[in-house]
Amino acid sequence: MENILKLQKSEKISIPKRKLKEHEKAFLILIPFLILISMFLLSPFVSVLIGSFLNEYNEISFENYQYIINSRFIKQSIFNSIELSLVSTFVGLIVSLQGAYSLNKLKNSSKKNVLLFINMLSNFSGIPLAFAFIILLGSNGVMTILLKNIGLIDGFDVYSKSGLMLMYIYFQLPLGLLLLYPVFDRLDPGWKEMVNILGGGSFTFWTKVGLPVMSKEILGTVLIMFANAMGAYACTLALTNGTYNVMTIRITSYIAGEVAYEPGIASAMSILLGGILIFVVIINEILLKNKRGKYEK
């Protein structure tokens, strides 16, 4: 009997360990990322959303949104932001499409050098960009004096709407080029030859084949460029010193301004700005869905 008990104690009872599945391992790896997203994206958004419904007495109401609807000054800032974003996105898209097409026609060595230069330009924004525009196109800027002596410009003011629009278009170009450059690789050179054999020209190729094939990427680029312009703040503030009325400057004036401190209005404008971008995303998805349905038919 004692031998049997000793034998049982000596035996090691092995409990099989359950191995983690692939999706469980992936979820564990994602936990730090989810924590960061919650800390720096979700919690600030929830805080701003709640703050947009609080009045000066910390009572829940729609006073902030009513103030925005009734304020002509705030509605002007919304219109100016949308106008700047739409025009700069449209002009930037046209120039970027032409630039990306020409870039794909270069040799590999030249192409790498140009892409390196574009990458450098894409990081040149904000206050340094505004400072560069002031040096070149300011009242006593190098290019301003040169062009005035030649007689090409008269009365141009870089601190006005036209100067701000020019700067917006400028910082949209590197972004558009980097996003649209890989898209042209999807076009098979044989497609153009087939269109020519069927009696079509370059216009027919681009309208019937080229642009429809690239439509998804082009719409996505439009969305990113529009959001990039709507959220521009540092370069606008540095160039105009806050005198041009746009949404980002108005939000800052209500949350950190010396004249008025209205965090509720600033939160409501932030939610409205996010709502405009979400609306653009929805329109983009609807257009893409319609195009996919058209091709499936």
Side-chain angles (χ1 to χ4, degrees):
M1 188 65 180
E2 292 178 357
N3 294 332
I4 295 174
L5 292 174
K6 290 180 180 179
L7 182 62
Q8 288 179 350
K9 290 180 181 180
S10 62
E11 289 180 350
K12 294 182 179 179
I13 301 173
S14 60
I15 301 174
K17 296 181 180 180
R18 189 177 72 88
K19 293 184 178 180
L20 292 175
K21 297 180 180 180
E22 290 297 327
H23 67 276
E24 292 175 340
K25 292 179 181 179
F27 178 76
L28 290 175
I29 294 173
L30 278 176
I31 287 178
F33 175 74
L34 294 175
I35 293 173
L36 289 175
I37 290 293
S38 300
M39 291 174 58
F40 297 104
L41 285 180
L42 294 181
S43 57
F45 174 76
V46 173
S47 177
V48 170
L49 181 62
I50 294 173
S52 67
F53 291 102
L54 298 177
N55 58 16
E56 57 182 342
Y57 304 106
N58 287 329
E59 298 173 347
I60 297 176
S61 67
F62 290 93
E63 292 181 10
N64 297 322
Y65 292 97
Q66 290 175 354
Y67 181 83
I68 292 173
I69 294 173
N70 297 327
S71 175
R72 295 180 61 184
F73 190 58
I74 293 180
K75 286 189 286 188
Q76 183 192 47
S77 70
I78 297 172
F79 174 79
N80 288 342
S81 294
I82 293 176
E83 182 186 18
L84 283 170
S85 301
L86 286 176
V87 174
S88 64
T89 298
F90 177 76
V91 177
L93 180 68
I94 298 300
V95 178
S96 297
L97 278 171
Q98 177 59 45
Y101 174 77
S102 302
L103 185 58
N104 275 270
K105 297 297 182 181
L106 295 177
K107 296 180 180 179
N108 289 331
S109 57
S110 302
K111 192 183 299 184
K112 290 179 181 178
N113 294 331
V114 175
L115 284 173
L116 178 63
F117 180 69
I118 294 173
N119 274 310
M120 293 173 59
L121 288 179
S122 65
N123 295 312
F124 185 67
S125 59
I127 295 177
L129 177 61
F131 185 64
F133 265 74
I134 292 172
I135 293 175
L136 292 174
L137 297 171
S139 301
N140 296 313
V142 178
M143 295 299 296
T144 303
I145 296 174
L146 178 63
L147 294 175
K148 279 184 177 179
N149 292 334
I150 298 175
L152 294 178
I153 62 172
D154 185 19
F156 174 77
D157 185 10
V158 74
Y159 308 106
S160 64
K161 176 183 176 181
S162 56
L164 193 60
M165 184 70 73
L166 184 63
M167 186 176 65
Y168 269 58
I169 293 172
Y170 177 84
F171 73 67
Q172 293 278 44
L173 294 180
L175 178 63
L177 281 168
L178 291 175
L179 291 174
L180 292 173
Y181 160 70
V183 179
F184 285 88
D185 293 335
R186 295 186 58 187
L187 300 180
D188 192 334
W191 293 349
K192 193 169 186 179
E193 297 178 2
M194 294 172 64
V195 172
N196 293 332
I197 292 173
L198 295 173
S202 296
F203 181 78
T204 304
F205 169 75
W206 287 111
T207 54
K208 300 296 183 182
V209 180
L211 292 178
V213 169
M214 300 187 302
S215 60
K216 182 178 179 180
E217 288 79 7
I218 292 175
L219 288 173
T221 302
V222 168
L223 173 63
I224 295 174
M225 293 174 72
F226 181 82
N228 184 45
M230 284 292 293
Y233 169 71
C235 57
T236 308
L237 180 64
L239 185 67
T240 64
N241 200 22
T243 56
Y244 193 76
N245 192 18
V246 293
M247 289 189 73
T248 50
I249 291 179
R250 289 285 68 77
I251 291 172
T252 306
S253 68
Y254 282 115
I255 199 69
E258 298 178 357
V259 178
Y261 177 70
E262 298 287 348
I265 297 175
S267 298
M269 289 189 68
S270 300
I271 295 298
L272 185 60
L273 177 60
I276 293 172
L277 297 179
I278 292 173
F279 175 76
V280 174
V281 172
I282 293 173
I283 296 298
N284 181 53
E285 289 298 321
I286 291 173
L287 292 175
L288 288 176
K289 186 177 180 181
N290 291 337
K291 283 190 171 295
R292 284 194 293 264
K294 181 180 177 181
Y295 292 136
E296 286 174 0
K297 292 179 180 178

